[in-house]
Amino acid sequence: MLKGCLLIGLWFSALNIAGAQQFNSEEVIFEAKGDTIQIGATITSPREAGQFPALVLLSGTGPQDRDCTMAGQKLFAQIAGYLSERGYIVLRMDDRGVGKTTGTYQQATTADFAKDALQAVDFLKTYPNVDSRKIGLLGHSEGGAAMSIAASQSKDVTFLVSLAGLATNGMESLLIQNENIVRNSPATPVDQKRYNQINRLMFSTAYQYAQSDSLESKLNEVYDYWKIKDDLYFKTLGKEWDHFRFPIYSYAMQAVGPWYRYFVRYNAELVLSQVDVPILALNGDKDVYVDPTNLEGWQKYSKSGQKGLVTTHLLPNVNHLMQACKTCDAKEYAELGTIPTSTLAIITAWLNKTVK
């Protein structure tokens, strides 16, 4: 075991959803080298003897538990069980400040999440039955950026799987995401135009002053200037009431934090140009948070793409949580089921062909 690591819990078997096969599951806690946090995680593994490839699962934006519980769905628990029943060891961990992982999520950046991923890889290298030559990362949403950073920094990461994982620059992803959200909102065409205008101004300002102590004052300055012009514009519309609101205070509070400052300047092109391991990337065509055009980034920016090592799939009628959707808006998440078996089968087939 790694020095300073603590294993807790007992081995037990867990049935898959269909109840056909079994896998082992163990809770673990390990300390992060060069940091002050400890990481709580669950490792699932095949019951049979042998050496197996392994994956670390990385969640998207926002503090999440190891199961990646969102809208009542346990995205990572489902993936881990499915893969472990088919010959893979899977580690899924609590985010910083969640569950049994210490630290403060709000003070962390995507680069910190990449460090946590590499700590998990180091732990798996000494874990029983792991083939240390075959350890990869699976990232959802922002987890795609974190796994890319990790892979660019370590030869121990030998493959990547992206589920709506970010492969575009931070600034670009914010613009596209918010334009998608605005387009799918009930706002009038006039107000949608106003939202897109102020969003672009705010994002551009945040990008320009991301490393400056004056970021907050610059955001407020730019907003105040825009508001004067926007008020004059509204008067030309001949309407009595203006229902448009931009939350400048809460936006500025978010933008001055370490996560936003790092993310808005995240350079996917630079990071992925240093990644040359096999990559599987899946996106839903109804994803409004990570636009389907994101798939192009894995092919275009990565060294892997230049070597023909990238496989992409655009899944029809699939949302950001990889669910088969109907209306495909966020309100529907809690009403839908888990990831379709067909999607999990795509991942497994690629792993069997590429990794095993």
Side-chain angles (χ1 to χ4, degrees):
M1 289 299 171
L2 291 176
K3 182 179 180 181
C5 293
L6 171 66
L7 286 175
I8 64 173
L10 299 174
W11 287 98
F12 64 92
S13 62
L15 293 175
N16 72 344
I17 295 173
Q21 294 181 344
Q22 296 179 323
F23 55 89
N24 291 320
S25 182
E26 185 177 21
E27 286 194 22
V28 301
I29 292 177
F30 54 96
E31 296 177 3
K33 294 179 179 178
D35 210 326
T36 58
I37 70 169
Q38 67 175 27
I39 297 174
T42 296
I43 298 179
T44 55
S45 58
R47 297 198 69 190
E48 60 268 25
Q51 295 290 107
F52 303 98
L55 298 92
V56 176
L57 309 188
L58 306 180
S59 65
T61 303
Q64 296 172 36
D65 63 27
R66 66 190 69 184
D67 291 339
C68 198
T69 305
M70 295 181 287
Q73 307 298 333
K74 297 182 180 295
L75 179 67
F76 281 1
Q78 182 193 5
I79 293 172
Y82 188 93
L83 293 180
S84 290
E85 288 174 339
R86 288 158 178 81
Y88 296 89
I89 295 174
V90 182
L91 183 152
R92 62 188 197 272
M93 55 188 170
D94 296 325
D95 286 347
R96 294 185 176 210
V98 178
K100 294 184 178 178
T101 297
T102 58
T104 305
Y105 186 90
Q106 290 73 18
Q107 295 301 314
T109 69
T110 313
D112 293 316
F113 305 142
K115 292 178 184 177
D116 296 344
L118 292 178
Q119 296 292 341
V121 170
D122 282 345
F123 182 79
L124 282 177
K125 285 167 61 180
T126 64
Y127 194 79
N129 301 326
V130 169
D131 186 340
S132 60
R133 302 165 302 169
K134 299 178 179 180
I135 300 177
L137 306 174
L138 181 152
H140 176 250
S141 197
E142 185 193 350
M147 74 177 187
S148 299
I149 296 169
S152 73
Q153 297 174 348
S154 173
K155 295 298 183 182
D156 291 329
V157 178
T158 59
F159 62 92
L160 300 176
V161 178
S162 164
L163 299 184
L166 192 67
T168 53
N169 296 333
M171 172 70 167
E172 179 185 358
S173 70
L174 289 170
L175 287 170
I176 295 174
Q177 180 186 96
N178 280 272
E179 286 176 357
N180 284 342
I181 293 172
V182 168
R183 183 170 56 253
N184 287 278
S185 76
T188 65
V190 168
D191 283 349
Q192 287 191 13
K193 181 179 179 180
R194 296 164 78 190
Y195 275 119
N196 286 333
Q197 185 181 65
I198 187 59
N199 280 336
R200 282 187 171 273
L201 279 173
M202 290 293 97
F203 299 159
S204 297
T205 303
Y207 180 91
Q208 182 178 356
Y209 294 97
Q211 298 172 330
S212 170
D213 292 338
S214 63
L215 173 57
E216 184 173 7
S217 63
K218 289 295 183 181
L219 288 171
N220 283 287
E221 179 183 318
V222 171
Y223 173 78
D224 289 342
Y225 179 73
W226 173 84
K227 188 70 167 60
I228 292 172
K229 295 197 301 179
D230 185 67
D231 285 345
L232 292 173
Y233 167 70
F234 181 77
K235 289 180 180 180
T236 69
L237 300 177
K239 296 182 180 181
E240 184 177 2
W241 303 107
D242 186 3
H243 300 289
F244 180 90
R245 298 289 184 275
F246 181 82
I248 179 59
Y249 176 77
S250 59
Y251 174 75
M253 288 291 289
Q254 178 191 24
V256 298
W259 179 86
Y260 200 98
R261 287 177 184 267
Y262 181 92
F263 186 81
V264 75
R265 300 283 302 197
Y266 173 66
N267 189 330
E269 301 175 48
L270 177 62
V271 171
L272 286 172
S273 68
Q274 302 171 64
V275 175
D276 63 356
V277 298
I279 300 172
L280 171 67
L282 287 72
N283 262 84
D285 70 346
K286 296 298 189 294
D287 189 339
V288 298
Y289 292 99
V290 176
D291 193 85
T293 56
N294 174 75
L295 285 178
E296 299 172 5
W298 295 109
Q299 293 277 13
K300 182 169 58 175
Y301 299 146
S302 70
K303 190 177 294 185
S304 309
Q306 299 168 19
K307 293 183 176 181
L309 299 176
V310 176
T311 301
T312 62
H313 289 269
L314 182 60
L315 306 175
N317 298 313
V318 167
N319 63 23
H320 187 57
L321 300 192
M322 310 309 294
Q323 299 165 305
C325 58
K326 298 175 184 177
T327 63
C328 300
D329 58 27
K331 297 177 182 178
E332 190 185 39
Y333 287 166
E335 303 170 8
L336 302 174
T338 52
I339 306 175
T341 303
S342 57
T343 300
L344 296 174
I346 291 173
I347 298 171
T348 307
W350 182 85
L351 288 172
N352 290 344
K353 177 182 177 181
T354 309
V355 178
K356 280 189 175 179

PDB file of all heavy atoms in Angstrom, residues 9 40 50 59 162-163 167 268 311 317 332 335:
ATOM      1  N   GLY A   9     -13.239  -0.741   5.807  1.00  0.00           N
ATOM      2  CA  GLY A   9     -14.354  -1.491   5.254  1.00  0.00           C
ATOM      3  C   GLY A   9     -13.979  -2.926   4.971  1.00  0.00           C
ATOM      4  O   GLY A   9     -12.810  -3.313   4.992  1.00  0.00           O
ATOM      5  N   GLY A  40     -11.885  10.093   0.191  1.00  0.00           N
ATOM      6  CA  GLY A  40     -12.728   8.934   0.431  1.00  0.00           C
ATOM      7  C   GLY A  40     -13.278   8.420  -0.885  1.00  0.00           C
ATOM      8  O   GLY A  40     -13.704   9.197  -1.744  1.00  0.00           O
ATOM      9  N   GLY A  50      -7.168 -12.457 -10.928  1.00  0.00           N
ATOM     10  CA  GLY A  50      -6.481 -11.995 -12.122  1.00  0.00           C
ATOM     11  C   GLY A  50      -6.070 -10.538 -12.020  1.00  0.00           C
ATOM     12  O   GLY A  50      -6.325  -9.871 -11.020  1.00  0.00           O
ATOM     13  N   SER A  59     -15.991  13.652 -11.661  1.00  0.00           N
ATOM     14  CA  SER A  59     -17.288  14.303 -11.807  1.00  0.00           C
ATOM     15  C   SER A  59     -17.170  15.685 -12.443  1.00  0.00           C
ATOM     16  O   SER A  59     -16.077  16.231 -12.605  1.00  0.00           O
ATOM     17  CB  SER A  59     -17.967  14.422 -10.443  1.00  0.00           C
ATOM     18  OG  SER A  59     -17.224  15.272  -9.596  1.00  0.00           O
ATOM     19  N   SER A 162     -14.542  10.015 -22.206  1.00  0.00           N
ATOM     20  CA  SER A 162     -15.271  11.250 -21.959  1.00  0.00           C
ATOM     21  C   SER A 162     -16.770  11.034 -22.117  1.00  0.00           C
ATOM     22  O   SER A 162     -17.233  10.567 -23.153  1.00  0.00           O
ATOM     23  CB  SER A 162     -14.812  12.335 -22.944  1.00  0.00           C
ATOM     24  OG  SER A 162     -15.736  13.407 -22.981  1.00  0.00           O
ATOM     25  N   LEU A 163     -17.518  11.399 -21.069  1.00  0.00           N
ATOM     26  CA  LEU A 163     -18.979  11.444 -21.153  1.00  0.00           C
ATOM     27  C   LEU A 163     -19.370  12.920 -21.077  1.00  0.00           C
ATOM     28  O   LEU A 163     -19.398  13.500 -20.001  1.00  0.00           O
ATOM     29  CB  LEU A 163     -19.618  10.660 -20.005  1.00  0.00           C
ATOM     30  CG  LEU A 163     -19.292   9.166 -19.918  1.00  0.00           C
ATOM     31  CD1 LEU A 163     -20.078   8.515 -18.787  1.00  0.00           C
ATOM     32  CD2 LEU A 163     -19.577   8.473 -21.239  1.00  0.00           C
ATOM     33  N   ALA A 167     -13.904  19.488 -23.979  1.00  0.00           N
ATOM     34  CA  ALA A 167     -12.733  19.510 -24.854  1.00  0.00           C
ATOM     35  C   ALA A 167     -12.668  20.832 -25.606  1.00  0.00           C
ATOM     36  O   ALA A 167     -12.101  20.916 -26.693  1.00  0.00           O
ATOM     37  CB  ALA A 167     -12.775  18.341 -25.839  1.00  0.00           C
ATOM     38  N   ALA A 268      -7.953  24.352 -23.594  1.00  0.00           N
ATOM     39  CA  ALA A 268      -8.065  22.942 -23.982  1.00  0.00           C
ATOM     40  C   ALA A 268      -7.089  22.595 -25.100  1.00  0.00           C
ATOM     41  O   ALA A 268      -6.557  21.476 -25.138  1.00  0.00           O
ATOM     42  CB  ALA A 268      -9.502  22.634 -24.410  1.00  0.00           C
ATOM     43  N   THR A 311     -11.910   8.045 -30.758  1.00  0.00           N
ATOM     44  CA  THR A 311     -13.192   7.526 -31.238  1.00  0.00           C
ATOM     45  C   THR A 311     -14.303   8.370 -30.635  1.00  0.00           C
ATOM     46  O   THR A 311     -14.337   8.581 -29.422  1.00  0.00           O
ATOM     47  CB  THR A 311     -13.391   6.061 -30.817  1.00  0.00           C
ATOM     48  OG1 THR A 311     -12.321   5.261 -31.343  1.00  0.00           O
ATOM     49  CG2 THR A 311     -14.725   5.514 -31.324  1.00  0.00           C
ATOM     50  N   ASN A 317     -30.893  11.991 -29.067  1.00  0.00           N
ATOM     51  CA  ASN A 317     -31.871  12.179 -27.990  1.00  0.00           C
ATOM     52  C   ASN A 317     -31.309  11.828 -26.618  1.00  0.00           C
ATOM     53  O   ASN A 317     -31.937  11.141 -25.818  1.00  0.00           O
ATOM     54  CB  ASN A 317     -33.135  11.355 -28.276  1.00  0.00           C
ATOM     55  CG  ASN A 317     -33.827  11.789 -29.553  1.00  0.00           C
ATOM     56  OD1 ASN A 317     -34.033  12.979 -29.781  1.00  0.00           O
ATOM     57  ND2 ASN A 317     -34.148  10.835 -30.410  1.00  0.00           N
ATOM     58  N   GLU A 332     -36.409  17.776 -16.689  1.00  0.00           N
ATOM     59  CA  GLU A 332     -36.787  16.393 -16.954  1.00  0.00           C
ATOM     60  C   GLU A 332     -35.841  15.377 -16.313  1.00  0.00           C
ATOM     61  O   GLU A 332     -36.169  14.185 -16.218  1.00  0.00           O
ATOM     62  CB  GLU A 332     -36.817  16.175 -18.476  1.00  0.00           C
ATOM     63  CG  GLU A 332     -37.404  14.864 -18.940  1.00  0.00           C
ATOM     64  CD  GLU A 332     -37.274  14.689 -20.437  1.00  0.00           C
ATOM     65  OE1 GLU A 332     -36.236  15.076 -21.001  1.00  0.00           O
ATOM     66  OE2 GLU A 332     -38.209  14.146 -21.046  1.00  0.00           O
ATOM     67  N   GLU A 335     -37.067  12.790 -13.845  1.00  0.00           N
ATOM     68  CA  GLU A 335     -38.125  11.908 -14.326  1.00  0.00           C
ATOM     69  C   GLU A 335     -37.596  10.771 -15.183  1.00  0.00           C
ATOM     70  O   GLU A 335     -38.309   9.807 -15.455  1.00  0.00           O
ATOM     71  CB  GLU A 335     -39.140  12.722 -15.142  1.00  0.00           C
ATOM     72  CG  GLU A 335     -39.754  13.896 -14.389  1.00  0.00           C
ATOM     73  CD  GLU A 335     -40.550  14.807 -15.307  1.00  0.00           C
ATOM     74  OE1 GLU A 335     -40.730  14.434 -16.484  1.00  0.00           O
ATOM     75  OE2 GLU A 335     -40.970  15.884 -14.847  1.00  0.00           O
TER      76      GLU A 335
END
